[in-house]
Amino acid sequence: MSKFTRFLKENKIKKENTTYAATKSLTDEKGNPLLWTIRPITTKENEALRDECMVDVPVKGKPNLYRPKLLTNKYMAKLLAACVVEPNLYEAELQDSYGVNTPQDLVQAMVDDPGEYSDFVTFVQNFNGFNTSLEEDVEEAKN
């Protein structure tokens, strides 16, 4: 296999879905937390989510000058909603049962314990590779 062919798409390792117990408050008949199916998102999907969560804020002391700001909480909710496969956060009946209208609001209603929600966000971020920087990866590869 030449160096070039190693980079072809068919040689790329596909990341599989995983499961995660997002909350202890939703359980099966034996009292075990329900497992949610989580999928990885692509760089392109992530950029679209970030773009949806950006706003321009005025720079103090600089009239007509703005800087971009990421609405972090909105981004995290959208990231979770984009990664959750099951339960189906787009299911109208499920949204109605919690009295919400969007997948983002639904995930926040279902995982309404702040500690569990924070852990869930951390899990999804780590699953999508946000746990290490490129510099850390390069240093690890050197050693």
Side-chain angles (χ1 to χ4, degrees):
M1 183 182 289
S2 75
K3 289 182 181 181
F4 170 76
T5 57
R6 292 179 189 158
F7 290 97
L8 295 176
K9 187 174 182 176
E10 61 262 16
N11 295 321
K12 187 173 172 102
I13 298 170
K14 185 176 186 275
K15 191 171 188 178
E16 299 296 325
N17 291 353
T18 190
T19 57
Y20 181 77
T23 181
K24 296 175 188 165
S25 62
L26 294 169
T27 60
D28 63 16
E29 55 281 343
K30 295 180 182 176
N32 299 316
L34 297 175
L35 293 178
W36 297 34
T37 303
I38 311 300
R39 74 174 185 90
I41 62 169
T42 65
T43 301
K44 192 171 186 174
E45 289 171 310
N46 185 60
E47 290 300 317
L49 291 175
R50 288 180 63 85
D51 286 348
E52 291 173 21
C53 300
M54 296 296 280
V55 294
D56 288 330
V57 294
V59 176
K60 285 186 178 181
K62 306 274 185 173
N64 299 321
L65 189 60
Y66 297 86
R67 65 174 177 78
K69 178 182 178 184
L70 177 66
L71 300 176
T72 309
N73 292 336
K74 182 178 179 181
Y75 167 71
M76 292 303 168
K78 283 185 170 284
L79 177 64
L80 290 181
C83 291
V84 171
V85 175
E86 190 177 325
N88 181 357
L89 301 177
Y90 294 87
E91 178 65 44
E93 185 178 349
L94 188 56
Q95 289 180 4
D96 290 345
S97 76
Y98 284 90
V100 298
N101 296 318
T102 68
Q104 298 86 346
D105 290 341
L106 180 57
V107 74
Q108 289 177 331
M110 293 177 78
V111 186
D112 61 352
D113 180 278
E116 288 180 340
Y117 187 83
S118 179
D119 290 345
F120 191 23
V121 167
T122 300
F123 175 82
V124 169
Q125 287 179 306
N126 288 340
F127 180 63
N128 280 290
F130 291 114
N131 51 345
T132 59
S133 69
L134 180 59
E135 291 80 21
E136 290 171 340
D137 291 341
V138 168
E139 278 303 311
E140 186 177 319
K142 286 180 182 178
N143 295 329

